[in-house]
């Protein structure tokens, strides 16, 4: 049956038996597609929204009606119903289908939303524009789930929706990763009653009659108190309705008929409404249902030999030695490697939900009271809290350690997940110390050094890739750089930041074979820069810096500025290799880096281009 679906219109005439069969086929297809993809994908989240997505596309007419997803990794079923079944063979692969909504893929995708808690703000803005334009009636539907309601921006959007009264239907997809209110028989009855248009009209009429009676103001307050008390005893809508947002629910998110009735009622309401649905993450796939940690949210795990694996071991060791050490995570204890510490020290690991800004400032408060907080977070998600890093931690010179996973080019998740801004931003925070490990063994050493030597903010940033294994004599210490390859006769100095050290060393080998000796430095600490490394680099004719972050304003730019200060006249030429200011597509990491010239071949090409230019100048 799934093969017959090319647009949402194809499901609107299906009967319940056909819909049930289609739901089974969709689940089987998603499981097979994600398991078959060499790049993985988000599984549990999508298995939980099958019936909800069917009900949405039967109740609304996309793209005339706007359906928004928060976060976008819940949109696989939406993609299937909007004619993209064939695209799943290239899921999250270079040039293939995105793992998130993509405006380039379909008119049904309005926003490319992979950072959580933003959709209610989009929805409020869209509803405002539609109302002011005075065009035909269109619905704006915001699906919020997978913990997105734990983010502060979601509540800001909700508050403004209630204040403005804009007609937005918010679907709160409650799969146990956000709100978890108790459903009851009375609750179900009240939902049916309160969703009925006659009930809402009669309620408004009673309120007007009561307030028109002698002493009506007092009687009106009594009526409000009575209805609020009944509501609060059995259901969780008070929070929403006190903000001016109507509430329907909780509903069984796997009952298509019940969902469609509630959505029909929501469409008739003249203002914002939350439809609260309870779904089961990973539904219909036993391995996902039995995964108590994340219900196979994705197919990734902490791999032995990875930088994340090194961090996971190191933080437990540091926690054993330092009773003041605590860790924070923004809803990702598994992916960031904190589960072993959470098991060993459950009272010293704090999962704050998708609330990076809160996490950073909370860490500052902990540090003020004598704790040593470590915030483990993806690089791309820390950029959501850079103001807090700068002013709440940096300005107060608090010893918070930021451990940034997935820094640099990350690959298959696309533009929103590449961690290419952290070095540009963090190096601008006064007194911030920034470490960039180039091997498995360097990471625990840097954790110890950061905790021992830094009395203010510090950060360690590492990539998603496997970490090179090196012997003890190739591990640095303190805040010093490490000379990885020395040659007194070399005219070329290569400086490779973090994982880019491998590209620098590979290029040095190839250039050596061409008769071009090179010096190679591992800076280890990109802020502050090591004076010895800079002095040595200044004696060369050419310095090439390689980093997997944004080139403009990055580490290479800082090195170039420092070398100009050291040798204002007659100093070395400097070539800065890094990521351009652009949104990078999804693809394999090595392929993206090669396209950007950030591999050994790209470094060799840059050196040889310089050599050719110099030769032409002297001929």
């Amino acid at each position: 049956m799934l093969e017959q679906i090319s647009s949402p219109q194809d499901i609107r005439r299906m009967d319940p038996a056909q819909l049930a069969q289609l739901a089974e086929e969709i689940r089987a297809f998603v499981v097979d597609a994600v398991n078959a993809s060499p790049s993985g994908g988000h599984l549990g989240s999508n298995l939980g929204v099958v019936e909800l997505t069917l009900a949405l596309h039967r109740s609304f007419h996309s793209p005339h009606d706007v359906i928004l997803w928060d976060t976008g990794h819940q949109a696989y079923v939406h993609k299937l119903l909007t004619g993209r079944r064939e695209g799943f063979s290239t899921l999250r692969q270079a040039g293939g289908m995105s793992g998130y909504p993509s405006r380039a893929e379909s008119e049904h995708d309005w926003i490319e939303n992979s950072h959580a808690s933003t959709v209610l703000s989009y929805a409020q803005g869209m509803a405002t524009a539609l109302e002011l334009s005075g065009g035909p009636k269109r619905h704006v539907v915001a699906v919020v789930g997978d913990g997105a309601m734990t983010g502060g921006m979601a509540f800001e959007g909700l508050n403004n929706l209630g204040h403005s009264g804009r007609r937005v239907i918010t679907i709160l997809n409650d799969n146990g990763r956000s709100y978890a209110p108790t459903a009851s028989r009375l609750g179900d009855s009240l939902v049916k009653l309160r969703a009925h248009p006659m009930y809402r009209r009669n309620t408004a009429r009673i309120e007007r009659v009561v307030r028109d009676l002698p002493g009506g103001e007092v009687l009106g307050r009594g009526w409000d108190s009575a209805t609020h008390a009944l509501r609060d005893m059995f259901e969780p809508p008070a929070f929403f309705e006190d903000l001016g947002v109507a509430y329907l629910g909780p509903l069984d998110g796997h009952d298509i008929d019940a969902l469609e009735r509630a959505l029909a009622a929501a469409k008739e309401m003249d203002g914002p409404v939350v439809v609260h649905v309870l779904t089961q993450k990973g539904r219909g796939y036993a391995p996902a249902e039995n995964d108590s940690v994340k219900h196979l949210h994705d197919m990734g795990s902490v791999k032995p030999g990875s930088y994340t694996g090194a961090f996971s071991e190191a933080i437990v060791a540091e926690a054993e030695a330092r009773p003041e050490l605590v860790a924070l995570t923004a809803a990702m204890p598994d992916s960031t490697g904190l589960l072993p510490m959470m098991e060993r020290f459950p009272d010293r690991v704090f999962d704050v939900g998708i609330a990076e800004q809160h996490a950073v400032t909370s860490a500052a408060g902990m540090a003020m009271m004598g704790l040593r907080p470590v915030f483990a977070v993806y690089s791309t998600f820390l950029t959501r809290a850079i103001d807090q890093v700068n002013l709440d931690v940096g300005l107060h010179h608090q010893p918070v350690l930021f451990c940034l996973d997935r820094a640099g080019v990350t690959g298959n998740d696309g533009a929103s997940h590449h961690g290419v801004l952290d070095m540009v931003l963090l190096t601008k925070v006064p007194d911030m110390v920034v470490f960039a490990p180039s091997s498995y063994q360097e990471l625990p050493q840097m954790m110890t050094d950061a905790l021992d030597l830094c009395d203010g903010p510090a950060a360690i940033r590492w990539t998603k890739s496997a970490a090179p294994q090196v012997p003890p004599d190739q591990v640095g210490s303190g805040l010093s750089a490490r000379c990885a390859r020395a040659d007194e006769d070399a005219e070329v100095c290569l400086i490779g930041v973090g994982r880019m050290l491998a590209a620098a060393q590979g290029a040095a080998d190839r250039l050596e074979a061409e008769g071009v000796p090179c010096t190679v430095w591992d800076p280890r600490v990109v802020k502050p820069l090591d004076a010895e490394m800079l002095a040595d680099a200044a004696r060369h004719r050419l310095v090439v810096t390689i980093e997997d972050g944004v080139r403009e304003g990055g580490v290479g730019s800082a090195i170039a500025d420092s070398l100009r200060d050291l040798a204002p006249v007659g100093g070395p030429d400097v070539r800065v290799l890094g990521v351009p200011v652009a949104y990078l597509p999804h693809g394999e990491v090595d392929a993206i880096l090669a396209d950007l010239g950030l591999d050994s071949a790209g470094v060799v090409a840059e050196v040889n281009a310089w050599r050719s230019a110099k030769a032409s100048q002297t001929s």
Side-chain angles (χ1 to χ4, degrees):
M1 187 171 290
L2 180 58
E3 295 178 359
Q4 302 171 24
I5 306 300
S6 60
S7 75
Q9 186 175 349
D10 295 329
I11 66 172
R12 293 188 184 124
R13 287 190 282 275
M14 287 185 175
D15 61 33
Q18 291 174 316
L19 290 171
Q21 179 185 337
L22 179 60
E24 287 187 16
E25 291 184 17
I26 289 173
R27 284 195 168 89
F29 180 91
V30 170
V31 169
D32 290 345
V34 173
N35 284 332
S37 173
S39 305
H42 292 90
L43 185 57
S45 308
N46 289 287
L47 296 178
V49 298
V50 174
E51 290 83 5
L52 174 59
T53 310
L54 288 168
L56 284 170
H57 276 293
R58 282 166 57 85
S59 301
F60 298 95
H61 293 269
S62 175
H64 176 78
D65 293 327
V66 179
I67 301 177
L68 309 171
W69 298 90
D70 189 357
T71 61
H73 61 234
Q74 302 174 95
Y76 286 15
V77 184
H78 163 78
K79 292 194 174 201
L80 279 173
L81 299 181
T82 53
R84 284 172 274 177
R85 181 172 55 85
E86 298 297 333
F88 278 83
S89 62
T90 61
L91 178 64
R92 290 161 44 93
Q93 298 172 45
M97 191 170 74
S98 171
Y100 298 94
S102 170
R103 290 166 63 92
E105 283 180 11
S106 174
E107 62 180 349
H108 296 276
D109 294 357
W110 288 86
I111 55 175
E112 307 192 11
N113 205 31
S114 55
H115 282 204
S117 310
T118 62
V119 75
L120 293 178
S121 298
Y122 280 116
Q124 196 267 348
M126 289 179 170
T128 299
L130 290 174
E131 183 173 321
L132 293 179
S133 68
K137 184 177 181 180
R138 301 171 66 183
H139 296 285
V140 178
V141 183
V143 183
V144 184
D146 250 22
M149 279 299 291
T150 63
M153 190 173 172
F155 292 101
E156 295 173 20
L158 194 66
N159 180 50
N160 276 275
L161 276 174
H163 176 72
S164 66
R166 301 298 183 202
R167 296 183 68 254
V168 170
I169 298 172
T170 300
I171 311 298
L172 176 55
N173 173 27
D174 179 358
N175 60 18
R177 290 299 185 263
S178 184
Y179 285 96
T182 301
S184 65
R185 288 178 179 262
L186 177 59
D188 292 341
S189 299
L190 289 175
V191 168
K192 294 175 183 176
L193 173 64
R194 291 168 54 244
H196 198 286
M198 184 174 292
Y199 165 81
R200 300 187 70 83
R201 287 195 297 270
N202 288 340
T203 298
R205 183 173 59 82
I206 292 172
E207 289 176 352
R208 288 195 301 271
V209 169
V210 168
R211 294 183 189 280
D212 288 341
L213 292 172
E217 184 176 347
V218 175
L219 290 172
R221 287 199 297 268
W223 167 264
D224 289 342
S225 298
T227 55
H228 284 200
L230 178 64
R231 187 181 64 190
D232 294 349
M233 283 175 61
F234 300 104
E235 298 184 273
F239 172 79
F240 297 103
E241 295 192 347
D242 288 346
L243 287 175
V245 180
Y247 174 93
L248 300 177
L251 302 164
D252 180 353
H254 303 292
D255 184 336
I256 296 176
D257 184 60
L259 289 170
E260 290 181 3
R261 289 198 305 270
L263 292 174
K267 289 164 71 171
E268 298 304 317
M269 293 183 180
D270 190 27
V273 56
V274 166
V275 180
H276 183 179
V277 302
L278 304 178
T279 62
Q280 179 186 9
K281 194 168 185 176
R283 185 179 179 89
Y285 184 51
E289 292 180 347
N290 296 329
D291 177 7
S292 61
V293 176
K294 58 180 181 178
H295 295 287
L296 290 187
H297 171 82
D298 53 38
M299 304 304 287
S301 61
V302 176
K303 295 178 174 58
S306 65
Y307 284 102
T308 307
F311 165 74
S312 188
E313 295 172 1
I315 194 167
V316 172
E318 294 292 350
E320 295 274 6
R322 306 172 193 265
E324 73 279 9
L325 188 145
V326 296
L328 299 92
T329 175
M332 304 185 77
D334 51 335
S335 303
T336 57
L338 282 179
L339 284 183
M341 182 177 173
M342 185 175 283
E343 294 169 0
R344 177 69 180 86
F345 300 105
D347 295 335
R348 292 164 60 186
V349 179
F350 307 100
D351 186 347
V352 302
I354 304 176
E356 293 87 359
Q357 293 174 316
H358 164 73
V360 172
T361 305
S362 177
M366 294 176 185
M368 289 175 179
M369 291 299 171
L371 296 178
R372 286 305 302 268
V374 177
F375 182 24
V377 61
Y378 283 11
S379 168
T380 185
F381 296 140
L382 185 68
T383 59
R384 308 183 78 183
I386 195 63
D387 181 72
Q388 287 72 25
V389 172
N390 183 37
L391 298 179
D392 299 344
V393 173
L395 180 64
H396 295 86
H397 197 70
Q398 292 305 307
V400 176
L401 176 57
F402 300 97
C403 289
L404 309 188
D405 205 326
R406 271 66 165 181
V409 174
T410 57
N412 301 313
D413 281 318
S416 62
H417 277 55
H418 294 303
V420 295
L421 288 172
D422 57 89
M423 288 190 290
V424 170
L425 295 172
L426 292 179
T427 56
K428 308 308 181 291
V429 177
D431 300 324
M432 174 73 75
V433 177
V434 182
F435 297 82
S438 60
S439 69
Y440 190 95
Q441 288 71 23
E442 280 278 16
L443 199 153
Q445 178 64 51
M446 289 179 175
M447 279 203 71
T448 299
D449 292 339
L451 293 168
D452 284 345
L453 303 177
C454 300
D455 61 358
I460 309 173
R461 50 104 61 190
W462 60 83
T463 72
K464 187 180 179 179
S465 62
Q469 301 282 339
V470 300
D473 64 348
Q474 293 182 25
V475 179
S477 62
L479 303 185
S480 300
R482 182 179 68 86
C483 186
R485 185 179 189 136
D487 192 319
E488 291 297 323
D489 299 323
E491 291 186 333
V492 177
C493 176
L494 307 179
I495 302 176
V497 176
R499 70 167 289 159
M500 293 292 99
L501 178 64
Q505 290 175 317
D509 290 339
R510 294 174 62 171
L511 290 166
E512 182 77 33
E514 297 177 16
V516 182
C518 298
T519 299
V520 178
W521 278 90
D522 176 0
R524 299 187 67 253
V525 179
V526 297
K527 187 194 177 199
L529 293 167
D530 183 14
E532 181 181 350
M533 178 188 73
L534 293 171
D536 182 71
R539 68 178 178 82
H540 295 77
R541 294 184 64 201
L542 172 67
V543 175
V544 180
T545 68
I546 313 105
E547 62 193 292
D548 59 349
V550 167
R551 176 182 178 277
E552 295 183 18
V555 176
S557 296
I559 291 173
D561 288 344
S562 297
L563 291 176
R564 277 193 291 271
D565 292 340
L566 282 174
V569 179
D573 293 333
V574 181
R575 299 290 185 269
V576 178
L577 302 184
V579 176
V581 179
Y583 295 112
L584 302 179
H586 61 273
E588 293 300 321
V589 172
D590 290 343
I592 294 174
L593 291 174
D595 287 343
L596 297 175
L598 298 177
D599 60 356
S600 59
V603 177
V604 170
E606 189 70 27
V607 172
N608 284 335
W610 173 83
R611 292 173 62 207
S612 296
K614 288 298 182 183
S616 64
Q617 290 174 6
T618 57
S619 61

